[in-house]
Every structure is written in C-alpha cells, then in structure tokens.
Amino acid sequence: MPGSHCGSGFSRDALCTHEQKAWRHLRRLLLAILFAFAGTLHAQAIEPMPFANHAQELRFQHLTRQLRCPMCQNETLADSNAPIARDLRNQIFQMMRQGKSDDEIKQYLVARYSDFVLYDPPLTRGTWLLWFGPLLILLGGAGVVLVAIRKRGRMPAHGSAGPRPSIDNGDDW
C-alpha cells in the first residue's frame, strides 16, 4: 500500500502524530513524578547549623544520638528525617545556644515526651520490665527446658526388659 507504514494500514502522518502524543504523555508523566518526589528530596536534606566551634558540634551530635525520635521510635534524633525530629534538633540547638546543660535539655524532653525519648531510660518502677523482661523470659525458657529434660530422664526406656501393658482390651470393632 502506498503511503502506509510497515503494512499497518495507518498513514505515516497518523503514526507520527500518535507517537508524538505518546511522547508528550510520557514527558508529562515523568514531570508529574519528578514534582511528586521533589518534596521528599527536600526532606532528606540535612540542615546545616551554625555551631560556634567543633566542640559544640560534637556535643550536639552526642546528645542527639542519646535521644529517640518520638515518631520513628527506633531511630535517634540524629538519624531520623521525620519533621518532629528536625524540629527537636533545632530546639536542642537553640537550648544549647541559651547555655542549657545536657541534663537540662534531657529533663525538658522527658517532661514533654516521657522517658520514652531517652535511648537508655532510667531504672524505675515503670521500666523494670523493660530492663529485666528479656532476662525473665530467658530464665523461664531455661526452666521449661530443664523440667522437660528431667521428665524425659525419669521415663523408662523403650527397649527395657519386662512386659509392657497391652492396650488391647479384646473388643473387636
């Protein structure tokens, strides 16, 4: 067929228009994806803080590694990218600039978020299970294993001499 493209029955102009539309849609899709992820790229950026000296920066890093992110729960404030972690890092930095000690900063955060915010919570009545729970579970498991071994040791061996009682009571089904 004259004017056809690859025998498809479409004219070359119609195929080019279709390809152009497809490329335009693909470009729009890629642009939408780029804009959708632009916010996450900004969230991943680390905000530099104007530390007075290297010792202050090390103190800040040490302190933020001792504190837990209230939102992430298993990340330190230093490692978390959550908005609340970023806010708390800024607040800690401001408190450091005000001359607050590490203990004062921790006390402020504990008053606001409870002992949960500390990666090493103190040993209190409320945290004794947290500290000793794994040990209690381990000891309980060891006790179960010990009881099972003792019971097995008291049972007669299968190959022992002597008659074994029959389960058959003579009833036929």
Side-chain angles (χ1 to χ4, degrees), residues 12-173:
R12 190 180 261 308
D13 293 335
L15 187 60
C16 289
T17 311
H18 182 67
E19 286 178 1
Q20 288 172 347
K21 286 182 182 178
W23 278 108
R24 260 186 280 166
H25 287 303
L26 183 61
R27 275 188 243 137
R28 286 181 185 160
L29 178 66
L30 290 174
L31 192 59
I33 291 171
L34 179 67
F35 282 127
F37 288 106
T40 59
L41 293 175
H42 172 70
Q44 299 296 326
I46 296 173
E47 300 170 15
M49 297 187 177
F51 294 106
N53 54 36
H54 186 64
Q56 187 183 37
E57 182 178 359
L58 290 176
R59 178 181 166 216
F60 176 81
Q61 289 173 357
H62 181 71
L63 187 57
T64 56
R65 293 210 185 283
Q66 294 177 358
L67 300 168
R68 184 186 319 267
C69 173
M71 184 178 185
C72 303
Q73 298 184 4
N74 204 22
E75 281 187 303
T76 64
L77 285 179
D79 297 333
S80 176
N81 288 322
I84 191 166
R86 198 170 347 154
D87 293 343
L88 287 175
R89 284 192 299 264
N90 288 330
Q91 189 168 14
I92 289 169
F93 179 70
Q94 293 303 323
M95 291 175 82
M96 286 175 61
R97 291 179 77 183
Q98 294 169 2
K100 305 260 182 186
S101 69
D102 289 359
D103 287 335
E104 289 173 323
I105 294 171
K106 286 180 187 178
Q107 286 173 1
Y108 170 79
L109 292 172
V110 165
R112 194 166 183 189
Y113 298 102
S114 79
D115 285 334
F116 176 77
V117 78
L118 300 173
Y119 244 95
D120 281 333
L123 183 59
T124 63
R125 286 191 309 169
T127 60
W128 75 270
L129 191 59
L130 174 70
W131 282 100
F132 300 112
L135 180 63
L136 292 173
I137 291 171
L138 182 67
L139 291 175
V144 168
V145 168
L146 188 64
V147 167
I149 289 173
R150 285 189 177 176
K151 277 187 178 180
R152 188 173 292 169
R154 290 181 190 156
M155 295 177 76
H158 290 294
S160 65
R164 294 182 77 192
S166 174
I167 299 176
D168 185 22
N169 60 4
D171 291 340
D172 292 332
W173 289 53

